[in-house]
């Protein structure tokens, strides 16, 4: 497989892991919030708690995703096995190279 193919597979798997992490954090957060007793008058606080769960889930999933990608890059020496998917025009190789 070429470096470009390896890069595409790596990004696809990493994206699936990020989505799975996001799903786990959202479901876990909603379950935790559902255990908090809210009265009928405090429905606004419940809505705010659900909003906070979504924001926290996004931040946590991105942070963990970032650390996993950095760890995998070092552990499996991915610098040499992956090709950048997007490069600036001035740094692109010519087709004949």
């Amino acid at each position: 497989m070429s470096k470009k193919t390896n890069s595409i597979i790596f990004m696809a798997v990493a994206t699936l892991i990020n989505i799975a992490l996001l799903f786990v954090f959202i479901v876990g957060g909603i379950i935790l919030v559902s255990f908090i007793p809210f009265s009928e008058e405090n429905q606004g606080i419940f809505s705010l708690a659900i909003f906070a769960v979504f924001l926290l889930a996004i931040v946590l999933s991105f942070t963990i995703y970032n650390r996993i990608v950095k760890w995998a890059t070092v552990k499996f020496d991915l610098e040499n096995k992956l090709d950048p998917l997007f490069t600036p025009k001035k740094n692109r190789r010519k087709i004949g190279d």
Side-chain angles (χ1 to χ4, degrees):
M1 281 196 273
S2 68
K3 284 185 171 185
K4 191 68 85 174
T5 305
N6 290 342
S7 299
I8 291 171
I9 292 171
F10 177 76
M11 289 304 297
V13 170
T15 301
L16 290 175
I17 290 172
N18 192 15
I19 291 171
L21 283 170
L22 183 63
F23 179 75
V24 166
F25 287 133
I26 287 174
V27 170
I30 290 174
I31 290 171
L32 287 175
V33 167
S34 69
F35 286 124
I36 300 172
F38 289 103
S39 65
E40 292 292 325
E41 298 86 31
N42 293 335
Q43 289 301 316
I45 295 173
F46 178 74
S47 299
L48 187 62
I50 294 294
F51 181 71
V53 163
F54 282 110
L55 285 180
L56 190 61
I58 291 170
V59 169
L60 282 174
S61 68
F62 180 73
T63 302
I64 292 174
Y65 162 82
N66 198 7
R67 289 183 182 184
I68 289 172
V69 167
K70 285 180 183 177
W71 171 80
T73 302
V74 172
K75 172 118 174 114
F76 301 111
D77 192 31
L78 297 178
E79 292 277 332
N80 298 325
K81 298 174 184 154
L82 300 177
D83 196 27
L85 292 176
F86 306 105
T87 56
K89 281 189 174 185
K90 65 180 180 177
N91 292 337
R92 289 185 188 160
R93 288 183 262 163
K94 295 186 181 187
I95 295 176
D97 291 343

